[in-house]
Amino acid sequence: MSELLNIHENLHDKGYAPIEIDIGKSDMQTAINRYLGFLSVDNEYHEATKFFVSNRGDGDYGQFTRLSGSEGVRGVVPDNKDIFHFGSMSRQIIEARMNGNIPREMKQFLDATEEIFWAGQRSKRKVLEQLDYENTGLVSILQTERHTLNDVLRFIAYYPNAEKLAKGHFDRSTCTLAIGESHEGLRMTTGQNGVVLDADETYLADLESRLRPVDHVSGEAKFFLGAGWNRLPIDYKIGVNDLDLGWHDVISSEKQVDEKVMRWAIVMFINPYAEMEGYTVPTPAETRPYKQLGRLAI
């Protein structure tokens, strides 16, 4: 129970809880280098990686480029970045589409990504088993062998942005693992438990004022809750329903990866299995409450 108490305490105090992960910084650096190499291959290979496992809004996989100010599926895009979403079926789908004719840069990237995905899954399983000490079924909907696993491992290459590299938000996922990053920039604090549909300037200013830098430690990921946690049936969260969500942003620093890339990060988004009935993803106003006020950023 001591580990569980530590998770509770950390989520309440900081908005995240450190947990062990069996992947090193050098492995993550290798994977990122391979991702940047993959970005250089022809766009047809990027397009071949895209697929969906559900139409819920949390099951999109493959390579995507986000440009600040452009119109995305959830409204105006607030930042500049390349992202790649890898899932449990990515390797098989991509290889089947391409009949095995995969460029070397692409194969090397998929090899490295697959290793990190399953390392994240092992860490996720451990923390969920601690949270599900009442055996409510929380593990079964977020870690399933009978349905379609819908977790997303995201690689992010951040590019210069007019303001923050990523503006303050709650993740759309039920839970998140911040696995690795090139250098400092991630900031977090505790957020609301329960859906806030009447956010005002005071509420947002309080969140921003409490943001604190997060340090990554070798062999350690950061576990926190996203807005999707509020969407899970309460019967699955007996004993843990009051846990705080993790509000976070990413700011730039004097460090950067190279002349083009400001920063990189590897994150796993944990979602209910794709066929779960009754679950819907949070709205943009739930993940970015400032959108209720009719503005792009705070």
Side-chain angles (χ1 to χ4, degrees):
M1 285 293 289
S2 61
E3 288 185 72
L4 176 61
L5 291 174
N6 287 336
I7 292 174
H8 279 231
E9 182 178 339
N10 280 310
L11 291 178
H12 282 311
D13 291 347
K14 301 186 293 186
Y16 66 89
I19 65 169
E20 292 183 359
I21 189 165
D22 57 348
I23 197 82
K25 180 67 177 286
S26 62
D27 295 316
M28 288 185 273
Q29 184 65 63
T30 295
I32 285 293
N33 290 343
R34 292 179 177 182
Y35 177 46
L36 297 178
F38 165 69
L39 289 176
S40 68
V41 304
D42 291 344
N43 190 59
E44 64 180 288
Y45 298 110
H46 296 173
E47 291 298 315
T49 65
K50 295 180 180 179
F51 65 96
F52 297 84
V53 299
S54 80
N55 59 5
R56 248 180 6 206
D58 60 358
D60 57 327
Y61 294 86
Q63 168 60 31
F64 304 91
T65 298
R66 303 287 191 243
L67 298 175
S68 178
S70 64
E71 190 67 32
V73 294
R74 288 171 64 87
V76 178
V77 176
D79 39 37
N80 294 308
K81 59 194 176 188
D82 269 305
I83 59 175
F84 188 90
H85 287 177
F86 184 92
S88 62
M89 299 188 297
S90 291
R91 192 66 181 261
Q92 297 92 320
I93 289 175
I94 294 169
E95 290 181 347
R97 282 179 174 174
M98 304 186 67
N99 296 316
N101 298 317
I102 299 178
R104 178 176 58 87
E105 296 89 346
M106 190 174 185
K107 181 182 183 304
Q108 289 180 337
F109 171 53
L110 293 175
D111 287 342
T113 303
E114 194 165 33
E115 181 181 357
I116 296 175
F117 179 85
W118 293 112
Q121 288 293 305
R122 291 189 291 272
S123 293
K124 178 193 84 169
R125 179 86 190 210
K126 290 178 182 178
V127 71
L128 289 180
E129 287 176 345
Q130 292 175 42
L131 290 178
D132 195 17
Y133 66 94
E134 294 279 2
N135 294 316
T136 63
L138 181 64
V139 172
S140 69
I141 62 174
L142 298 178
Q143 174 74 41
T144 178
E145 287 80 30
R146 296 177 300 165
H147 299 94
T148 305
L149 184 65
N150 194 29
D151 291 352
V152 175
L153 181 67
R154 173 182 283 189
F155 280 67
I156 314 169
Y158 293 95
Y159 304 120
N161 200 39
E163 299 180 47
K164 299 175 181 178
L165 296 182
K167 298 174 175 64
H169 64 282
F170 297 109
D171 284 344
R172 200 185 324 168
S173 56
T174 58
C175 324
T176 298
L177 284 180
I179 294 175
E181 58 187 352
S182 56
H183 52 269
E184 65 272 10
L186 175 64
R187 304 190 303 173
M188 293 198 68
T189 190
T190 55
Q192 95 278 12
N193 182 279
V195 179
V196 175
L197 296 178
D198 56 353
D200 58 19
E201 299 283 353
T202 301
Y203 169 77
L204 295 169
D206 175 65
L207 285 174
E208 292 294 289
S209 69
R210 292 189 288 104
L211 284 166
R212 295 293 180 269
V214 175
D215 293 325
H216 270 286
V217 178
S218 180
E220 180 181 282
K222 303 299 188 291
F223 173 85
F224 55 97
L225 304 182
W229 181 259
N230 293 329
R231 293 293 189 118
L232 291 178
I234 194 170
D235 290 347
Y236 289 103
K237 300 185 290 183
I238 295 173
V240 292
N241 189 51
D242 65 336
L243 297 178
D244 294 86
L245 309 189
W247 175 264
H248 56 289
D249 70 0
V250 179
I251 59 174
S252 59
S253 70
E254 295 181 355
K255 300 177 183 178
Q256 59 186 72
V257 175
D258 56 33
E259 292 182 356
K260 182 180 179 183
V261 180
M262 301 294 292
R263 186 177 181 275
W264 61 256
I266 302 174
V267 178
M268 178 171 282
F269 299 120
I270 301 165
N271 302 307
Y273 61 83
E275 299 88 353
M276 182 178 176
E277 294 184 3
Y279 179 82
T280 56
V281 301
T283 64
E286 292 171 60
T287 57
R288 301 179 183 271
Y290 49 78
K291 288 194 173 183
Q292 297 180 53
L293 306 180
R295 52 199 176 95
L296 177 65
I298 47 181

